[in-house]
Amino acid sequence: MIRMLLWFPWAATGAPLWTCDELTPGLCDMGVEEGRMPTRGLELAYWIFSPPSDVKEIKTKIVMLHGGPGWTHDYIYPLRQLACRGHPVLMYDQTGSGASSFVRDPARDAPWLLSPDYYADELGELVRHVGWEQYHLFGSSWGTMLAQIYALRQPPGLLSLMLSGPFSDSKLYIEAQWDEQTGNLGSMPVFVQGRIRELDRTRNYDSEEYKRLDDVLTGHFTVRTYPAPDCFQKAEDTQNRAIYVGMQGASEFTMRGVLATYNLTGRLPELEVPVLLTSGRFDTMRPPCVRAMYDNLKQVEWHILPRSGHCSMLDEPGPMLDIMAEFLRRVDLGAAIGAPAPWSPAPEPVHEAEVAELASPGSIAGAVVLVLLGFAAGRISSRSSARPELEQPLVH
């Protein structure tokens, strides 16, 4: 899920280098309506982005779910560009974080904020509140699990699911990261693995060593557009850490929160709506994690974005938007889901010059960057040769 960032090199120097608007192609002068919905004595903040006046055809609506848990909608902001293509887009901050009512001690004051089922209830309330009768549902990271929980209730009006950096089995999500063949953590040097495991075992998350490791891993596997742009930093700054820790746990390397035993894979065949799966080549959601979903869904296609980490909407917003728009077009036409798409090229190799430019020799962070990029050039390239089908859209 979205890594809980603990330390940033730009924290002492001020604003981030890039804005998410700079990253997003084809932005337009869209309308935006802000609203608030009461829920259990708290309030939920939402935004509806509407197509500009010169768009001739208003298309189907999209509800978007951010990750975390306890993060905010800000980091998925580039996806509002779908409004420029005619789709009204609804984004919101899940209650307890961001612009919604912020609950500092959810275990004491609002324990339902640590229940995955509550967030599905909340989503249903919001859809009814805005009066949307038909809509597509997008989820990122934890939002993909939330989307599955909600969709398994068979709500009326749900047209499709689009799941970015998805998982359906929490245990498999962690195991896949540590897998020696396909994992990101499992293919790192034994010494580095040992240090991560020891820091996690002792819960030493405030140490400088853990912070540096976490920062480097975030920059390579979570958001590779690094230093991260403004909307990602805003989501990090306004997250609710208490919700994150309560549901996920304090570390991305293990799961100790209420989601630790969640597994919806066996129920995925119950879903009748078309499903789009997208993941990054360097995603924390490793191929075995996504393949488990792909193998259990009836109408599904899977695209791997070759230059992305976990946050494809930031690393490759243009291709991500094109993939989503084409999927939406076919669903709305009632066309078959699973046609090959031309925008999922085989990944290009990582070049030594790029490694040298990105790494910072002499520092702990730089050393680990070299380790990680060496892993990317070696382990992932060799895996691509052995499993070439993973680099193309997978379809049912």
Side-chain angles (χ1 to χ4, degrees), residues 46-349:
Y46 66 87
W47 299 260
I48 298 176
F49 300 95
S50 56
S53 58
D54 59 350
V55 170
K56 296 180 180 179
E57 179 188 1
I58 303 301
K59 302 175 183 177
T60 47
K61 301 175 175 67
I62 310 169
V63 178
M64 296 197 169
L65 310 177
H66 63 73
W71 270 53
T72 73
H73 79 288
D74 296 283
Y75 77 95
I76 62 172
Y77 215 48
L79 299 183
R80 79 194 193 284
Q81 196 273 343
L82 288 167
C84 303
R85 307 184 188 211
H87 295 278
V89 173
L90 168 63
M91 295 183 178
Y92 69 100
D93 287 346
Q94 294 157 24
T95 304
S97 61
S100 295
S101 296
F102 195 94
V103 181
R104 296 190 179 279
D105 190 346
R108 181 191 66 195
D109 300 328
W112 57 87
L113 295 180
L114 302 179
S115 166
D117 285 330
Y118 162 74
Y119 292 97
D121 295 341
E122 174 184 88
L123 172 56
E125 290 179 25
L126 180 58
V127 169
R128 291 188 293 273
H129 178 80
V130 299
W132 285 13
E133 296 182 355
Q134 288 192 317
Y135 53 95
H136 302 273
L137 186 59
F138 168 86
S140 163
S141 193
W142 139 250
T144 70
M145 179 69 85
L146 171 55
Q148 293 166 73
I149 295 170
Y150 179 75
L152 284 167
R153 298 180 177 186
Q154 310 297 338
L158 179 63
L159 300 173
S160 76
L161 296 179
M162 297 177 287
L163 307 179
S164 172
F167 73 114
S168 58
D169 179 347
S170 296
K171 183 178 179 182
L172 179 59
Y173 154 55
I174 296 299
E175 289 177 349
Q177 288 200 80
W178 287 100
D179 184 85
E180 292 184 1
Q181 298 301 316
T182 61
N184 47 356
L185 302 176
S187 294
M188 293 171 63
V190 173
F191 175 80
V192 178
Q193 291 187 46
R195 292 308 306 150
I196 293 173
R197 290 186 185 277
E198 177 63 16
L199 291 166
D200 190 66
R201 185 189 68 80
T202 58
R203 316 287 176 94
N204 198 6
Y205 305 125
D206 292 328
S207 69
E208 184 70 11
E209 182 182 13
Y210 182 88
K211 292 174 183 178
R212 286 180 175 243
L213 283 168
D214 187 72
D215 182 54
V216 171
L217 292 170
T218 295
H220 193 70
F221 295 115
T222 302
V223 55
R224 303 183 75 230
T225 303
Y226 191 84
D230 62 346
C231 64
F232 188 88
Q233 182 176 352
K234 184 178 179 182
E236 194 275 333
D237 290 343
T238 56
Q239 69 165 309
N240 189 323
R241 180 175 176 177
I243 293 176
Y244 180 95
V245 172
M247 294 185 69
Q248 151 79 31
S251 170
E252 282 285 312
F253 311 133
T254 57
M255 289 190 76
R256 294 192 176 96
V258 298
L259 289 172
T261 59
Y262 254 70
N263 184 356
L264 297 176
T265 307
R267 295 194 61 195
L268 294 183
E270 299 175 31
L271 295 177
E272 299 292 342
V273 296
V275 180
L276 171 67
L277 304 174
T278 62
S279 59
R281 177 186 172 199
F282 302 93
D283 207 319
T284 52
M285 301 302 174
R286 304 309 302 150
C289 188
V290 186
R291 183 177 285 278
M293 301 180 67
Y294 175 81
D295 289 342
N296 284 278
L297 289 163
K298 294 178 180 178
Q299 299 184 72
V300 61
E301 63 185 54
W302 175 14
H303 294 258
I304 296 179
L305 288 100
R307 298 172 183 82
S308 290
H310 190 45
C311 296
S312 300
M313 70 289 299
L314 298 175
D315 290 333
E316 295 181 86
M320 177 83 170
L321 286 161
D322 288 344
I323 289 170
M324 292 174 67
E326 173 59 16
F327 175 81
L328 292 166
R329 183 189 70 81
R330 284 183 281 128
V331 172
D332 290 345
L333 288 174
I337 298 304
W343 47 74
S344 294
E348 297 177 357

